[in-house]
Amino acid sequence: MLRLLAKIAVVFVFNFVLVIGTADLSFGQECPEPAIATTASAQPKPSTRRYNRALPSYRDRSSRYDLALVGDSLVELWQPWVKNSFPTRRPMNLGVAGDTTQNALYRLDNLNLPDFHPADVVILVGTNNLGPKTNPCSVVAGVTAVVEKVRSLWPSAHIYSLSIPPRGKQYASYEDIRVSANKLIASSLAELPGVTFIQMHDDMLRCGKPSDKECSNYKPDHLHFEEGAYNLIGSFLAAAGLRL
């Protein structure tokens, strides 16, 4: 417990510095026409086997859950450690591997969970929208659209939107695009009530500065997380005020 509290204290300091550092950004100035981005439109995609099995049970027992996790494979593959990450909560894992922001919007449009009223929602999405020719504004529009959709579904929930984490070669693929997108997402979400954007500490996730050194927080593909990364994410969330 002492180790966890110490980690949360360190993360709190990092998060405070990072939030202060992005406070002067203006999404409106940087992205004057975000609504035209295709990433803000729902697009269908087949769901995964785990999701297909879990959704009927979620519907039948939706009143038992008090926390929703929304996103792509980084959320879906959290499942083995979800109980450890949220020991006092009952999380519903709605992540689907391979989902872009467009697919996440489609997924949310078709949830059909009328008895589900989560107190909090954690969103981690956007990595599958990154590419060598990606406009950061399109990623921002997509993530913002997902957050707004979650707000419309569960207006009483507090939303915690996590930054897009490092990935790829040297844990720095599409780095300029990713970093720019995260800064603009922070600016965009700052205007929305009941939403906390969490700029995760990139170097903590990737075990240091960008390098070829293997990081135990990542699987060998340098994209998906191992347990250590999820432990860090839990501490980022706790430092931002989410009850675990």
Side-chain angles (χ1 to χ4, degrees), residues 45-48 50-51 71-73 75-76 93-99 107 128:
K45 182 181 79 66
S47 52
T48 59
R50 185 210 67 87
Y51 184 85
D72 48 41
S73 58
V75 172
E76 182 162 38
N93 189 334
L94 300 172
V96 175
D99 271 8
R107 210 77 58 202
N128 292 322

Side-chain angles (χ1 to χ4, degrees), residues 27-92:
F27 175 71
Q29 292 175 354
E30 296 288 341
C31 298
E33 296 180 349
I36 66 174
T38 58
T39 49
S41 303
Q43 293 181 8
K45 182 181 79 66
S47 52
T48 59
R49 184 177 299 177
R50 185 210 67 87
Y51 184 85
N52 287 336
R53 288 199 306 260
L55 193 56
S57 177
Y58 288 158
R59 287 190 178 121
D60 291 343
R61 305 176 181 182
S62 59
S63 62
R64 300 184 182 183
Y65 297 90
D66 64 353
L67 172 68
L69 309 178
V70 174
D72 48 41
S73 58
L74 297 178
V75 172
E76 182 162 38
L77 295 179
W78 200 338
Q79 192 59 28
W81 301 288
V82 158
K83 289 184 179 179
N84 291 335
S85 296
F86 306 101
T88 72
R89 307 298 297 271
R90 292 164 292 176
M92 182 183 290

Side-chain angles (χ1 to χ4, degrees), residues 200-216:
M200 298 190 288
H201 195 275
D202 292 342
D203 289 343
M204 291 180 72
L205 284 172
R206 61 189 168 202
C207 305
K209 299 290 184 180
S211 72
D212 288 323
K213 179 183 177 182
E214 291 298 309
C215 176
S216 61

Side-chain angles (χ1 to χ4, degrees), residues 8 14 148 153 165 191 193:
I8 290 174
F14 278 130
E148 290 176 336
L153 284 174
E191 303 171 5

Side-chain angles (χ1 to χ4, degrees), residues 202-234:
D202 292 342
D203 289 343
M204 291 180 72
L205 284 172
R206 61 189 168 202
C207 305
K209 299 290 184 180
S211 72
D212 288 323
K213 179 183 177 182
E214 291 298 309
C215 176
S216 61
N217 291 330
Y218 281 80
K219 295 184 183 296
D221 62 7
H222 293 194
L223 170 62
H224 297 102
F225 291 146
E226 293 284 7
E227 182 178 7
Y230 291 115
N231 290 338
L232 278 173
I233 294 173

Side-chain angles (χ1 to χ4, degrees), residues 66-70 89 117-123 147 150-151 154-161 189 192-198 237 240-243:
D66 64 353
L67 172 68
L69 309 178
V70 174
R89 307 298 297 271
H117 305 288
D120 302 290
V121 181
V122 174
I123 299 174
V147 171
V150 166
R151 164 63 62 229
W154 304 303
S156 63
H158 192 95
I159 299 170
Y160 295 85
S161 181
L189 299 187
L192 302 180
V195 177
T196 299
F197 174 77
I198 301 174
L237 288 165
L242 177 65
R243 177 175 62 85

